[in-house]
Amino acid sequence: MKQNLCNRRTFLTASTFVAASTVFLKQNEVLTAPVANEKMAMKLSFRPYELKLNHPFTLATSTRTATPGVQVEIEFDGKTGYGEAALPPYLGESAESVSAFLKRINLTAFANPFETEDILDYVDKITENNTAAKAAVDIALHDLIGKLLGVPCYRLFGLSPQRIPPTTFTISIAKPDVIRTQTKDAAQKFKMLKVKLGRDNDKEIIETIRSVTDLPLIVDVNQGWKDKRYALDNICWLKERGIIMVEQPLPKSWWEEAGWLTERSPLPIFADESLQRISDVMKIKGYFSGINIKLMKCTGMREAWKMINLARVCHLGVMLGCMTETSCAIAAAVHLSPAVDFVDLDGNLLISNDLFQGVRLENGRQLPTDLPGLGIKKIEQQT
Ligand code: MG
């Protein structure tokens, strides 16, 4: 009986589809492939959503326990693509500005989501900034396209998940005993760690971590060192303690100093705050060893992919980073991650109310499913 019901349901779905499709068939023409209804239109909807952090997130000037975000859906031909804008306050976008931006988007001029370049070019030209809002549209479109084609996004880019590097996990700044406990826990699950430096206790933090683990470590100075010779001395010290890369050691506008430091540094120096979008990549060559790409800063997967390829032409290393995000935006970056050198995609692991499942941490790597699109599924919202 169950079998019959199943067959009947399949039949109804199929016959409904054929009935709709045959409207566009000439007499005697054989239906061999899905035919799109020309009157179908993409429908974009969105809603604000607050990401709750597992632990308070402390920066030099503030502490926060939540990150605002906006969830986006684009529907077409019975499929729904999911996207997301994650909005840490220091980037200048808010749920209000993203909502205002998304309200201006009119997708009715486009026949289908496969006009991706035209759609994203149109979206990009609506305003100059709003990169996270643009990324939400881009991510939803890629999820939708993957679902319509029945393939995971990594295949749209010709990538294999087997090449995904281990992700770093960021140890947050705290008192030594807390750092020790955090590091011990993280070392069980991750193959590579990251820590924020740039205050007056850098060496104490590194020695605390090194008292617990010898795992490869990336340091992110977030522009915190204000002298190039001091930075070089620190980097030489870090090299001896198994640090493998340094992110944004000097203020973002210190180009000459960055070039001086990169030339002499025994460790690769990656730019983060010094770049945002593809137009910045060419400027990086000669001043840094590599770039940190974030979907929320660069308008999404499409531009990130172009940045990765341009960076390769410029002989630059590439890291993929994130904000605190649900598994939706993290999955989007994970699908591109086989193409990069360093992966820093721990954002979904830092929140307590993820909306999706579909990224799994396995042997220190963030892996996608092989389901179509981003490969994510909505889960019940936790309170
Ligand atoms: Mg950084």
Side-chain angles (χ1 to χ4, degrees):
M1 187 61 185
K2 212 172 190 181
Q3 183 68 34
N4 286 343
L5 271 176
C6 183
N7 287 342
R8 186 159 180 272
R9 193 175 298 134
T10 309
F11 170 75
L12 285 173
T13 308
S15 59
T16 307
F17 182 75
V18 171
S21 302
T22 46
V23 174
F24 303 102
L25 294 177
K26 292 174 190 159
Q27 211 171 2
N28 301 327
E29 196 171 345
V30 178
L31 178 65
T32 54
V35 177
N37 181 339
E38 287 174 353
K39 286 180 184 167
M40 279 192 297
M42 282 176 281
K43 190 177 146 214
L44 185 148
S45 58
F46 60 91
R47 69 179 176 105
Y49 180 69
E50 189 174 72
L51 303 166
K52 292 177 180 151
L53 306 182
N54 288 329
H55 304 288
F57 187 75
T58 302
L59 292 168
T61 51
S62 63
T63 295
R64 66 175 202 272
T65 55
T67 301
V70 176
Q71 296 293 317
V72 170
E73 295 185 6
I74 303 178
E75 290 172 54
F76 181 79
D77 195 13
K79 305 281 186 196
T80 302
Y82 299 114
E84 169 182 19
L87 309 162
Y90 59 87
L91 291 179
E93 287 182 80
S94 63
E96 292 72 29
S97 69
V98 171
S99 301
F101 180 86
L102 294 172
K103 276 181 195 162
R104 294 178 65 179
I105 295 176
N106 177 4
L107 296 177
T108 56
F110 303 97
N112 60 62
F114 299 104
E115 296 179 17
T116 321
E117 287 286 340
D118 285 345
I119 296 168
L120 294 177
D121 189 49
Y122 152 73
V123 169
D124 197 18
K125 286 178 174 151
I126 292 176
T127 60
E128 192 181 339
N129 299 313
N130 296 98
T131 56
K134 291 170 185 175
V137 178
D138 166 284
I139 293 168
L141 265 185
H142 281 89
D143 187 30
L144 181 58
I145 289 166
K147 283 171 174 162
L148 291 165
L149 293 175
V151 297
C153 286
Y154 61 78
R155 287 191 62 190
L156 298 176
F157 295 96
L159 299 172
S160 163
Q162 288 174 343
R163 288 185 171 273
I164 292 178
T167 184
T168 59
F169 180 80
T170 300
I171 304 295
S172 49
I173 301 302
K175 291 184 175 156
D177 58 327
V178 180
I179 291 182
R180 248 189 303 275
T181 308
Q182 274 190 60
T183 306
K184 231 176 248 174
D185 292 347
Q188 312 275 328
K189 292 187 250 170
F190 298 92
K191 302 287 183 199
M192 201 178 282
L193 302 176
K194 172 168 156 172
V195 68
K196 304 268 189 185
L197 297 186
R199 298 181 181 192
D200 55 5
N201 58 345
D202 290 350
K203 290 186 178 175
E204 182 191 31
I205 289 170
I206 296 298
E207 277 163 353
T208 305
I209 292 172
R210 280 294 174 246
S211 73
V212 179
T213 179
D214 289 328
L215 281 178
L217 186 61
I218 288 173
V219 300
D220 186 354
V221 187
N222 287 118
Q223 316 181 67
W225 295 336
K226 310 296 183 194
D227 180 283
K228 65 183 182 184
R229 289 179 198 282
Y230 173 80
L232 183 59
D233 286 349
N234 275 352
I235 292 169
C236 292
W237 186 88
L238 290 167
K239 160 86 174 163
E240 290 169 14
R241 279 147 190 89
I243 280 64
I244 57 166
M245 190 262 265
V246 179
E247 212 182 309
Q248 197 74 46
L250 298 169
K252 61 182 182 183
S253 59
W254 288 23
W255 290 94
E256 291 310 318
E257 290 84 351
W260 181 94
L261 186 62
T262 298
E263 201 182 328
R264 289 161 180 79
S265 170
L267 295 176
I269 311 281
F270 274 46
D272 184 359
E273 288 88 341
S274 286
L275 96 157
Q276 184 170 7
R277 297 194 56 179
I278 193 165
S279 54
D280 302 317
V281 175
M282 300 290 278
K283 286 190 262 174
I284 295 293
K285 190 173 167 53
Y287 296 99
F288 291 90
S289 326
I291 59 172
N292 185 353
I293 300 172
K294 292 172 184 163
L295 299 186
M296 295 302 141
K297 281 170 61 180
C298 79
T299 73
M301 299 173 79
R302 202 88 179 162
E303 183 148 323
W305 175 243
K306 292 175 185 177
M307 289 173 78
I308 292 168
N309 287 286
L310 182 54
R312 295 309 187 195
V313 173
C314 297
H315 301 287
L316 290 166
V318 182
M319 177 182 205
L320 256 176
C322 64
M323 311 297 172
T324 36
E325 298 163 358
T326 73
S327 291
C328 175
I330 293 296
V334 163
H335 278 267
L336 291 173
S337 67
V340 307
D341 307 299
F342 296 105
V343 170
D344 180 21
L345 297 175
D346 59 359
N348 61 326
L349 307 172
L350 308 176
I351 60 169
S352 62
N353 59 342
D354 202 343
L355 283 171
F356 299 91
Q357 59 184 25
V359 178
R360 70 182 192 281
L361 181 70
E362 195 176 287
N363 213 11
R365 303 190 305 153
Q366 288 277 64
L367 300 176
T369 68
D370 54 8
L371 295 171
L374 297 177
I376 56 170
K377 284 186 172 172
K378 263 190 170 171
I379 52 177
E380 285 298 313
Q381 187 176 341
Q382 295 164 21
T383 52

